Amino acid sequence: MKLLGVGCSLLLLISLGCNSAETPAEVSGTVLLGSEPLAEGNIIFEALDKSTAPGAGIIKDGKYTIQVLPGSKKVKIQASKPGTKIDPVMKSAMPESILGPEFNDKTTLKAEIKPGKNEKIDFQVKQMGKK
């Protein structure tokens, strides 16, 4: 999971170098799994019109702070647990998502990011299979 966060951070840095005309905004908030802070995961802000590179970062103890270019965004939240299936190449358990697709692949989460600081951009997610 840490590698995904590092990769996403590198993607953000590369994209910022390519489009220095726009200044990223600071976005922070809380992610709750039910009523408790999400222990760890990743958060990704993607432009609705795909006109800018996504901004991404790590969620730790329910909190995140990242740099995101302003605009209308769809938000993906990813969190996993060790799985029971063994990866034949890595010889270790493959991680399994704990969140339903409505929070990542088929996200319904959105946010409007304004220039400057954007605080309390909070989200509440549910564990897969729970209502």
Side-chain angles (χ1 to χ4, degrees):
M1 187 174 313
K2 288 183 182 180
L3 287 177
L4 178 61
V6 170
C8 291
S9 296
L10 287 174
L11 177 64
L12 176 62
L13 288 175
I14 291 168
S15 70
L16 293 176
C18 297
N19 192 359
S20 59
E22 292 188 62
T23 303
E26 182 178 297
V27 180
S28 62
T30 301
V31 179
L32 297 178
L33 177 59
S35 61
E36 298 293 320
L38 180 64
E40 63 180 9
N42 295 294
I43 189 163
I44 304 165
F45 287 77
E46 295 180 349
L48 291 177
D49 62 4
K50 301 195 186 289
S51 63
T52 59
I58 296 172
I59 301 164
K60 182 73 174 156
D61 298 324
K63 304 282 185 197
Y64 73 91
T65 300
I66 63 173
Q67 300 290 312
V68 178
L69 291 172
S72 298
K73 308 293 180 182
K74 66 179 177 178
V75 181
K76 295 180 179 181
I77 298 174
Q78 302 168 335
S80 60
K81 65 178 181 179
T84 55
K85 294 181 184 176
I86 302 297
D87 182 312
V89 175
M90 300 300 290
K91 307 282 189 236
S92 62
M94 297 179 351
E96 295 176 1
S97 179
I98 63 171
L99 306 177
E102 67 272 24
F103 304 113
N104 45 64
D105 295 338
K106 297 179 181 177
T107 187
T108 57
L109 304 175
K110 294 183 181 168
E112 186 66 35
I113 306 304
K114 309 240 184 275
K117 277 193 172 188
N118 294 256
E119 297 174 320
K120 297 187 186 239
I121 307 295
D122 301 335
F123 300 97
Q124 186 170 19
V125 296
K126 295 178 186 164
Q127 195 162 348
M128 192 179 317
K130 295 203 175 182
K131 301 252 178 197

